[in-house]
Amino acid sequence: MMRKTIAILLASVLTAPAFAQGVPDDLTTMPPVPDDYQPSTTSWGDPDFRGTWPLNDIAELPVNRPPQYGDRYWKTEEEIAAEQGRVEALEEAYENEDEEGTIGLGHWIEYEAGSRRTSMIVEPANGRLPDWTAEGVRRSALMRGSWTVGQTYDWVTDFDSWDRCVTRGFPASMFPFRYNNGIRIFQSPGYVVINLEMLGTRVIPVAGQDEPWPDGLDGWFGNSRGRWVDHNTLEVVTDHVQPGASAFNVATRGVPPNNTMPMSAEVVVTERFHLVGPDTITYEMHYSDPVIWQSDFTTRVNWTRDESYEFFEYACHEGNVQVRNYIVANRVQREQEYERGRMVDPIDPDAGPPPAMDPASRGVGQQTENTEESE
């Protein structure tokens, strides 16, 4: 049961000496990634990363550092001990559902408490995402989706790629959600394959196939080229990422709201998978998109092997009815609002997104059209 895993993990965090976790005496410093582990190799000689690496144990770690931690990368022992109350509440939710024979939120949300880290961001040193450029702010305002408060729904273009069950996007898919956090790594000569429990599989060549894609060819996960660095690290550089999805998903802790973190065609993501022990991968991601962000940033988290973890179907929206339901329900709502005198224009069933009726959209329909023409 997950509650047992959580209890064991928390106990180990509270009792293990600091050096065993790589926590320095100075909580405002981040030690370098260790490189003293010598991994086993595959039959063709590559470092063996194969296995199941679910992200549940970092699902509570925020991307942005909460202000109360100041300039610290690490929590104090007192702060980590205070998290025990949340663990106990989750254990109680599991126990109640087991006794009642129900499956509810207690079994739905997957996380394990006890991380000593204060944020995923390690650069900049303040542990927070940098500011957007003026263009980043503009493009964020143009993005639409079911997570955006106050917008209207008239066609599939009012929904993002995740709403439409296409993809969570990249690098968003490499970070935890609230469930379906499974990641499996497969290897064959010349390739590493990353299978994601929630929408998607990445195929990464690692045998010198480093030619970039032709201009105009893009993919939701981009064009990834890998290479082995030293004896325990896989480095993957990805460009040609299809803009449109949010760079981070809204339900990853500590990111801006609305699932509207834009990407440009200039984004380059550099990942480093460090196998630092038989059951631990340190995952680093350096993100560069000068069109959207005022500076680059880097995240670092640890993945933990768990071969007992089972993948389950991510149904996304069952029966493929939710997009239609959003549109129908929103039009009915707006018709009712118009009849009450709260809308400035009637509903035209043949029209696209009606920004004039939706102050929250800030004229998105016309701006989106102009943006597409300019790009």
Side-chain angles (χ1 to χ4, degrees):
M1 298 296 291
M2 188 175 292
R3 63 176 180 272
K4 294 180 180 177
T5 304
I6 295 170
I8 292 170
L9 177 63
L10 183 64
S12 66
V13 168
L14 295 179
T15 59
F19 68 83
Q21 302 174 58
V23 180
D25 293 333
D26 181 357
L27 301 182
T28 65
T29 62
M30 175 60 67
V33 178
D35 62 357
D36 55 350
Y37 178 69
Q38 183 65 52
S40 59
T41 59
T42 63
S43 60
W44 55 93
D46 289 341
D48 192 348
F49 281 57
R50 293 174 294 184
T52 304
W53 309 89
L55 304 183
N56 291 339
D57 57 351
I58 59 171
E60 285 297 293
L61 179 62
V63 173
N64 275 325
R65 182 183 300 156
Q68 68 264 29
Y69 298 119
D71 59 354
R72 289 188 283 120
Y73 289 99
W74 307 92
K75 300 173 188 174
T76 65
E77 293 183 3
E78 292 76 16
E79 288 168 338
I80 199 68
E83 295 181 0
Q84 185 171 3
R86 188 169 189 180
V87 175
E88 291 173 350
L90 182 60
E91 291 178 18
E92 184 178 353
Y94 277 125
E95 292 169 356
N96 290 340
E97 291 176 8
D98 287 343
E99 292 174 0
E100 296 169 1
T102 60
I103 298 295
L105 190 61
H107 282 268
W108 191 261
I109 301 300
E110 300 174 351
Y111 84 92
E112 297 172 0
S115 174
R116 285 293 301 269
R117 290 276 304 283
T118 58
S119 68
M120 295 188 191
I121 298 286
V122 293
E123 181 63 37
N126 66 5
R128 300 190 63 81
L129 292 166
D131 292 332
W132 286 334
T133 62
E135 178 65 8
V137 173
R138 187 186 75 86
R139 294 196 189 192
S140 175
L142 302 179
M143 296 177 71
R144 297 176 71 82
S146 67
W147 300 92
T148 305
V149 177
Q151 76 159 57
T152 56
Y153 304 95
D154 279 284
W155 190 239
V156 294
T157 50
D158 295 322
F159 301 86
D160 62 28
S161 63
W162 191 10
D163 293 328
R164 302 195 307 273
C165 301
V166 177
T167 180
R168 288 174 61 199
F170 177 80
S173 295
M174 300 301 294
F175 290 85
F177 188 59
R178 312 310 295 157
Y179 44 76
N180 290 102
N181 278 321
I183 288 180
R184 283 197 180 121
I185 296 178
F186 300 90
Q187 293 175 243
S188 64
Y191 292 91
V192 171
V193 175
I194 300 177
N195 181 216
L196 305 167
E197 186 176 12
M198 188 185 294
L199 291 177
T201 298
R202 299 176 61 193
V203 179
I204 303 168
V206 294
Q209 302 104 314
D210 55 359
E211 290 296 322
W213 284 356
D215 290 341
L217 180 62
D218 301 300
W220 288 111
F221 289 162
N223 177 23
S224 295
R225 287 93 65 203
R227 67 188 183 107
W228 297 106
V229 180
D230 299 327
H231 61 284
N232 70 333
T233 298
L234 172 65
E235 181 181 87
V236 179
V237 177
T238 301
D239 56 17
H240 285 72
V241 180
Q242 172 66 47
S246 184
F248 283 101
N249 290 154
V250 64
T252 298
R253 287 203 64 199
V255 301
N258 297 332
N259 214 49
T260 53
M261 298 180 67
M263 305 177 70
S264 81
E266 294 186 29
V267 65
V268 176
V269 179
T270 301
E271 303 164 282
R272 291 183 178 89
F273 302 76
H274 306 271
L275 194 58
V276 299
D279 299 316
T280 305
I281 289 176
T282 295
Y283 174 76
E284 292 185 297
M285 183 206 71
H286 180 81
Y287 190 95
S288 177
D289 189 348
V291 174
I292 304 299
W293 300 89
Q294 293 187 16
S295 60
D296 296 356
F297 59 90
T298 302
T299 66
R300 184 198 293 184
V301 293
N302 281 348
W303 295 359
T304 304
R305 183 193 301 274
D306 182 0
E307 301 301 345
S308 68
Y309 184 91
E310 298 181 59
F311 273 37
F312 290 91
E313 177 192 10
Y314 178 61
C316 198
H317 54 73
E318 296 179 4
N320 296 327
V321 298
Q322 294 306 322
V323 169
R324 179 183 179 88
N325 288 350
Y326 262 83
I327 294 171
V328 172
N330 188 249
R331 288 190 173 206
V332 170
Q333 179 186 24
R334 283 183 284 145
E335 288 173 357
Q336 293 173 344
E337 293 296 301
Y338 176 71
E339 291 173 357
R340 296 187 183 104
R342 298 178 182 175
M343 302 292 270
V344 297
D345 290 312
I347 303 296
D348 179 359
D350 297 322
M357 299 173 58
D358 181 13
S361 74
R362 302 177 295 280
V364 164
Q366 185 63 38
Q367 291 182 32
T368 302
E369 180 180 348
N370 292 341
T371 301
E372 290 173 350
E373 291 176 355
S374 66
E375 294 178 349

